[in-house]
Amino acid sequence: MDNATSDYYITWTANDSDELCRLSPTPAEILSQTYIHSIICAFGLIGNVLVIITYGFYKRTKTMTDVYLFNVAVADLIFVVALPLIAHNEQNGWPMGSVACKMLRSAYSINLFSGMLLLACVSGDRYIAIVQARRSFGSRSLAVRYSRLICLAVWVFALGLTLPTLIYTQLFDEYDFMEQTSTVMCELSFTDKMTAKLMKVMVPSLQMAVGFLLPLLVMLFCYSCIMCTLLRAHSSQRHKAIRVVWAVVVVFILCHLPYNVALLIHTMSLFKERNCEAEKTKLTVLATSRSIAYLNCCLNPILYAFIGVKFRSHFWQILSDLWCYGKKSDVLCARSSRRTSDICISGLRTSEGLNNMSSFSA
């Protein structure tokens, strides 16, 4: 099996036996992953679509953080749309053509790199707004222009890091010697051993370094400085802001650290002979931790958008407009609009004492 990097559907000879080792997932694992992925897909789709609608049609991306969060939602939405096909490929094989296969694998890779780097940009923007409050990009329009250029650079960089996945992802027939059946799989595939060894190490290494370690270090530095600034601030709402900081960092670590540790162990043992049962356990842990990492696309809208007072006021405006459209009542619309305006004014008054700390609830 020198031509593929598939985690499952591999047969190989164990070190202490001449029998083939079947590594395909058990029915219980398939059922549990199907339920988990369905929940992630549903909540991720709803949350990120609402964020995109709110920023795109109501909030109009007025700050740098708004631009970053809009792009994070787009990256997460790309992934949750591709997730059902990814799950189907891992469990049943690939039913579509080669082009769709490459797009599927590339969608996850682009989401990984762009989403994580954009979250690092969010932490950097909040660091400048709170810790380095005197530094500024000038006018609001100029700041938004800079943030859009940064987002464009992040997407281009993510696409560049995705090129190995795009180039080497192919369709191939995976033959099951036990059941004497063949399954069409969509995975990384290589024609020579040297390329296979290089890519099997380089692709997960880039994923761990750029998709996890770099954003984690940036977030830890920025949010540590922000925490120190908030602790020195005399504000009745500083404790709420500190809790938000803790939630952002802890959720990021809990979602991505287990998978990256499992991926590191998996990568380090790729070119060694492994015991069959140990390999099955390792792949089960890898699949489970990967599903936990997928949860981040559902939690991002809550942590970065819905927790903000201003964003919630725009979200309520969407709901009131939808309600008015369904009822077609001018009087009800007028009352709903006034009520939403009151929420906006109340939220702005509440956040006045925070000054630059309000970027956590912008």
Side-chain angles (χ1 to χ4, degrees):
M1 284 301 300
D2 291 325
N3 69 320
T5 61
S6 174
D7 291 337
Y8 291 118
Y9 302 101
I10 311 175
T11 54
W12 56 286
T13 303
N15 189 31
D16 55 353
S17 174
D18 291 331
E19 296 181 357
L20 294 173
C21 178
R22 181 182 176 87
L23 299 179
S24 56
T26 64
E29 291 175 340
I30 292 176
L31 184 63
S32 61
Q33 288 185 23
T34 299
Y35 279 119
I36 293 173
H37 291 166
S38 299
I39 294 172
I40 293 172
C41 186
F43 283 95
L45 186 66
I46 294 172
N48 288 291
V49 166
L50 289 175
V51 170
I52 291 172
I53 292 174
T54 303
Y55 278 124
F57 297 99
Y58 286 80
K59 210 169 185 298
R60 299 292 184 183
T61 57
K62 297 177 181 178
T63 67
M64 294 184 72
T65 297
D66 292 342
V67 176
Y68 294 142
L69 294 181
F70 177 84
N71 282 267
V72 170
V74 170
D76 287 341
L77 184 62
I78 292 173
F79 171 69
V80 296
V81 170
L83 182 57
L85 295 176
I86 294 174
H88 187 279
N89 175 64
E90 291 176 347
Q91 299 168 7
N92 304 293
W94 183 246
M96 302 182 190
S98 178
V99 175
C101 167
K102 288 180 178 290
M103 292 178 62
L104 170 79
R105 288 296 172 184
S106 300
Y108 171 68
S109 183
I110 290 176
N111 162 265
L112 172 74
F113 292 119
S114 61
M116 297 301 101
L117 292 174
L118 286 167
L119 291 182
C121 291
V122 171
S123 64
D125 180 52
R126 289 174 169 177
Y127 168 81
I128 293 174
I130 297 174
V131 181
Q132 305 289 338
R134 294 183 179 180
R135 296 185 181 182
S136 137
F137 285 98
S139 65
R140 176 177 295 179
S141 60
L142 184 61
V144 172
R145 193 179 310 161
Y146 272 116
S147 61
R148 287 173 179 169
L149 289 175
I150 293 172
C151 289
L152 178 61
V154 167
W155 283 105
V156 172
F157 185 53
L159 182 60
L161 293 174
T162 306
L163 283 179
T165 302
L166 182 64
I167 294 171
Y168 291 105
T169 297
Q170 298 177 15
L171 294 178
F172 67 91
D173 291 328
E174 182 71 46
Y175 189 75
D176 191 328
F177 290 95
M178 293 182 178
E179 298 185 1
Q180 302 295 310
T181 57
S182 180
T183 305
V184 178
M185 300 298 298
C186 172
E187 300 288 347
L188 292 174
S189 182
F190 312 98
T191 56
D192 62 275
K193 292 183 178 180
M194 290 304 297
T195 304
K197 288 182 178 180
L198 177 62
M199 291 299 160
K200 285 181 179 182
V201 173
M202 188 180 76
V203 171
S205 297
L206 284 174
Q207 180 175 328
M208 288 181 285
V210 182
F212 173 70
L213 189 58
L214 176 62
L216 177 63
L217 293 176
V218 173
M219 292 174 70
L220 287 176
F221 170 77
C222 292
Y223 287 133
S224 296
C225 296
I226 289 171
M227 289 275 287
C228 294
T229 303
L230 292 176
L231 289 172
R232 292 195 302 266
H234 299 286
S235 171
S236 59
Q237 293 196 14
R238 68 173 184 175
H239 297 294
K240 179 181 178 180
I242 291 172
R243 286 196 297 269
V244 173
V245 173
W246 273 110
V248 168
V249 176
V250 170
V251 167
F252 183 87
I253 293 175
L254 290 180
C255 284
H256 294 285
L257 182 60
Y259 176 54
N260 281 272
V261 171
L263 184 62
L264 177 62
I265 296 173
H266 176 71
T267 304
M268 292 176 64
S269 63
L270 275 176
F271 307 109
K272 301 176 183 178
E273 289 188 350
R274 290 95 75 192
N275 178 270
C276 183
E277 291 303 318
E279 185 71 5
K280 288 181 178 180
T281 302
K282 185 183 67 175
L283 291 179
T284 301
V285 172
L286 187 66
T288 304
S289 60
R290 182 168 53 225
S291 297
I292 295 174
Y294 291 168
L295 282 172
N296 198 231
C297 69
C298 304
L299 299 176
N300 281 337
I302 299 174
L303 288 174
Y304 289 92
F306 287 102
I307 205 169
V309 174
K310 295 179 184 178
F311 185 92
R312 287 202 307 271
S313 68
H314 289 286
F315 176 68
W316 285 116
Q317 180 67 54
I318 292 177
L319 295 183
S320 65
D321 288 349
L322 291 175
W323 177 264
C324 292
Y325 179 77
K327 294 294 184 180
K328 297 181 180 179
S329 171
D330 294 336
V331 176
L332 184 61
C333 287
R335 291 177 179 175
S336 178
S337 297
R338 285 197 299 270
R339 186 163 53 251
T340 306
S341 298
D342 292 340
I343 294 174
C344 290
I345 294 171
S346 176
L348 290 174
R349 287 175 178 172
T350 303
S351 60
E352 280 179 354
L354 288 177
N355 295 324
N356 287 328
M357 281 184 285
S358 64
S359 61
F360 272 99
S361 58

